[in-house]
Amino acid sequence: MNVADRDALQVQLTTAGDLLVAGKIREASDKARESYAWARDHLEEGDPMIATAGSTHAALLLELGEVSEAEGAFEEVRRLLTMGATPDAAEMARCLSGLGACRAMQERPEEALKLSDDAESYLQSAGARPDIAGGVQIVRARALIALGRWEEARAASQRASDDFEKVGNLFGHWAALTLLAGCLRLLGRTAEAEAPLKKALESVASVKEQFPELHAAALNNLGEALLQTGHPDRAMPYFQRALQILEEKRGPCDLSVVTVLSNLGLAYQGLGEFVMALEKHQRTLELRERLLKEDDAQIAASYSNLASVYMALRDFDKAQSAFERAVKILDQGNPNDLSLATALNNLAVCYLEKLRNDPSAGTTAQAHETLAHAIRIYEATLGPEHLNTVTANYNLCELLLREGRSSDAIPMLQAAVREFYRIFGKQNPWVAAAYCRLGRAEAATGDLKAAEAALQEAHGIYEAAEAKDPNTAECLTALADVYHRLGCPADAIRSLLVKAADVLAEVFGAQDPRTQEARQRAEGQA
């Protein structure tokens, strides 16, 4: 084979790469297929350039979602590489990494992890190849996530990010940072996920015109992280921009559009704009029921989101019905599924709210059973320190308070304050809510000074927040009750109750029953 032949092949592979960067994935795949066929016809058997062309062709098939075809192409490359006495180490690592990616997408994580281990072994003799090493670590991270080994997956994602950043691989860098953020969220370190997602968005900014859907995915991912850490106001513009991009590129009925639409509904919900949230969630449910099978977990998620809005609107019967539909769908699958645990936790909260609104609506037994089921799944799958487990135990405290077991609830609530603080930092509504509930528990045991201190902590966090939180009113009302029992001046107590009514009026409107009840209580203190 002469130098001109090798140069011609390199030009074809470079063209395929240029087409990929331009967002023309199908054309890039076709060019890579031509290059591979040309290499097999013109190069000597065993030439490593054939493997290079074959791996490029297989990787682009994988990019198109043609997993079976990609797997076959990678297997053929592996066969070609093993024909020689000493396979090219770098090309073998690339090939095994590609095969591992196929196995991961086929939900065969143990095989994917073994292939990534084998690829790392070949890289040790190939020398420093961060372009290949990053891909190996991506495969390793995805396999470890599927196996529940999240800390190891986090470390692999970080290594992948570092490797891709070294060689300026924007797409690999974006994928690695997105995986890293996902691992941090799985580990309960939600607040830390924002930084890598911001960096991921920055990494694809230069190619957003060629890859608008990738840009939309980065916007949506960052919005999700902000939403999960209690910042719906900051999340909203990211969701709105992502939705605009995807609707322009894919139309209003594509599943990727539906995902962002659902997140937009959650952001409206977090801002207390429940009519808009209800509209988005109803549209999401309608589209998912049209596009997916009736037992799909995404349909269950839409029912849960609708139920949460009905809860905020105090329509507890509709909320319970929607949560029960979600649980029924999810209960047909894996009994330890995290989505099932979340649906059970939400249903238990619904039972609790119904009892709070109408003590004759039932007993706490049903809520206890449902919440205990959720906690068992969370603890077995996520461990005791994960945010979801902490939150479910925090909800259990409300049950204990309702049953008059305030002394049992206090140590659990103190633990919840510590854990929410660890996960979110102090200035977060979750921390404020835990302090508020702790104050209520301490007041119930007669420790009024401790109750006052906890409620003041909660009030300080709520006061510093940009968005009004309806839980602020509960905190102010509880603090007013403590002041009354401490014999504080009536004007100080009335001031707190007026503030509580003002918060409810701003969030729910002046005519809402909760606002009117709060106004009457404030006037009664005059």
Side-chain angles (χ1 to χ4, degrees):
M1 182 197 70
N2 58 47
V3 173
D5 287 335
R6 297 181 71 88
D7 288 345
L9 176 59
Q10 189 60 57
V11 167
Q12 291 187 65
L13 293 175
T14 300
T15 301
D18 291 341
L19 288 166
L20 175 63
V21 171
K24 301 176 180 179
I25 302 174
R26 175 61 66 182
E27 293 176 47
S29 177
D30 291 342
K31 178 59 69 175
R33 180 183 285 107
E34 292 173 14
S35 303
Y36 184 35
W38 188 94
R40 285 181 297 176
D41 290 341
H42 290 80
L43 303 185
E44 295 177 9
E45 191 172 87
D47 191 305
M49 285 291 286
I50 301 176
T52 300
S55 289
T56 302
H57 165 56
L60 285 165
L61 287 172
L62 197 59
E63 192 72 28
L64 288 166
E66 297 173 7
V67 181
S68 296
E69 292 82 354
E71 181 182 22
F74 279 124
E75 288 287 11
E76 173 65 13
V77 171
R78 179 158 65 169
R79 186 190 68 78
L80 291 171
L81 286 167
T82 53
M83 289 175 63
T86 306
D88 182 277
E91 286 303 329
M92 182 60 85
R94 189 194 304 274
C95 173
L96 293 174
S97 176
L99 269 176
C102 293
R103 298 288 194 273
M105 293 178 75
Q106 294 165 335
E107 298 184 0
R108 296 153 68 182
E110 292 89 352
E111 295 176 45
L113 187 59
K114 175 64 167 61
L115 285 162
S116 72
D117 288 340
D118 293 343
E120 281 195 284
S121 296
Y122 275 102
L123 278 177
Q124 288 176 3
S125 57
R129 290 295 302 270
D131 55 327
I132 300 175
V136 173
Q137 292 303 322
I138 287 276
V139 172
R140 183 173 184 81
R142 286 176 175 155
L144 289 166
I145 288 171
L147 294 169
R149 294 160 60 179
W150 297 320
E151 177 54 39
E152 294 173 76
R154 184 208 60 75
S157 301
Q158 183 64 67
R159 289 198 296 273
S161 173
D162 294 342
D163 285 331
F164 284 130
E165 191 169 24
K166 285 176 188 174
V167 294
N169 185 327
L170 295 177
F171 306 103
H173 194 214
W174 174 83
L177 288 166
T178 303
L179 271 178
L180 175 59
C183 292
L184 290 168
R185 289 163 72 176
L186 285 168
L187 288 164
R189 294 159 58 181
T190 311
E192 296 176 48
E194 182 180 345
L197 288 173
K198 278 186 174 178
K199 196 171 182 181
L201 182 58
E202 291 166 4
S203 76
V204 299
S206 62
V207 293
K208 64 182 180 182
E209 299 302 325
Q210 302 100 305
F211 293 91
E213 292 170 34
L214 183 65
H215 185 225
L219 290 163
N220 181 64
N221 291 340
L222 180 53
E224 286 182 340
L226 292 168
L227 189 62
Q228 195 172 12
T229 51
H231 300 290
D233 50 333
R234 293 172 58 202
M236 180 72 76
Y238 292 106
F239 292 142
Q240 289 172 329
R241 180 61 184 137
L243 186 65
Q244 180 186 4
I245 293 168
L246 291 170
E247 284 185 333
E248 288 174 359
K249 294 297 177 182
R250 297 195 175 188
C253 297
D254 187 84
L255 276 174
S256 64
V257 172
V258 177
T259 297
V260 182
L261 189 67
S262 177
N263 285 337
L264 194 57
L266 292 171
Y268 278 119
Q269 193 173 327
L271 291 170
E273 298 183 31
F274 300 116
V275 173
M276 288 294 293
L278 195 62
E279 176 190 316
K280 302 302 180 189
H281 290 321
Q282 286 172 334
R283 177 62 176 156
T284 299
L285 177 60
E286 175 190 325
L287 289 169
R288 282 175 171 167
E289 287 185 324
R290 184 193 307 174
L291 298 169
L292 301 167
K293 294 180 180 179
E294 63 181 12
D295 61 348
D296 193 282
Q298 291 183 60
I299 294 176
S302 286
Y303 274 116
S304 288
N305 291 340
L306 270 175
S308 296
V309 177
Y310 287 134
M311 288 274 287
L313 295 171
R314 299 177 72 78
D315 192 338
F316 299 117
D317 289 335
K318 283 186 179 179
Q320 181 177 333
S321 176
F323 277 137
E324 287 174 345
R325 287 286 296 273
V327 168
K328 183 177 180 180
I329 292 170
L330 295 167
D331 207 23
Q332 298 174 44
N334 179 359
N336 289 317
D337 184 75
L338 290 174
S339 297
L340 173 59
T342 299
L344 288 164
N345 177 69
N346 291 339
L347 180 57
V349 172
C350 180
Y351 291 147
L352 265 172
E353 288 299 319
K354 283 188 75 172
L355 285 171
R356 180 185 291 182
N357 186 61
D358 179 8
S360 66
T363 67
T364 57
Q366 194 174 25
H368 253 303
E369 181 183 349
T370 306
L371 196 51
H373 188 178
I375 291 170
R376 284 197 300 273
I377 297 172
Y378 282 143
E379 288 185 338
T381 309
L382 301 173
E385 295 185 353
H386 191 275
L387 173 61
N388 291 9
T389 312
V390 174
T391 303
N393 278 302
Y394 169 69
N395 291 332
L396 179 59
C397 293
E398 181 65 24
L399 270 174
L400 297 175
L401 290 175
R402 181 156 295 279
E403 293 170 344
R405 297 166 58 188
S406 301
S407 296
D408 293 333
I410 286 173
M412 295 175 66
L413 287 166
Q414 289 169 335
V417 168
R418 290 194 299 272
E419 289 302 311
F420 287 146
Y421 196 132
R422 175 182 63 81
I423 294 167
F424 296 121
K426 183 176 181 180
Q427 297 300 320
N428 186 276
W430 279 103
V431 179
Y435 268 124
C436 182
R437 195 166 286 181
L438 175 60
R440 287 172 48 212
E442 287 169 329
T445 64
D447 192 345
L448 299 179
K449 285 297 182 183
E452 180 185 10
L455 291 166
Q456 288 284 16
E457 287 281 359
H459 184 220
I461 296 169
Y462 285 133
E463 283 282 287
E466 294 178 12
K468 290 295 182 184
D469 189 323
N471 290 322
T472 309
E474 179 184 344
C475 173
L476 290 165
T477 303
L479 188 56
D481 180 64
V482 169
Y483 278 8
H484 175 74
R485 294 169 64 185
L486 286 170
C488 293
D491 286 348
I493 298 169
R494 184 176 184 279
S495 175
L496 292 172
L497 294 173
V498 168
K499 284 184 181 179
D502 289 344
V503 169
L504 293 173
E506 187 171 338
V507 175
F508 300 116
Q511 301 307 311
D512 187 271
R514 286 162 288 192
T515 305
Q516 293 180 348
E517 182 181 339
R519 289 278 183 229
Q520 290 171 2
R521 183 168 184 179
E523 290 166 4
Q525 187 63 40

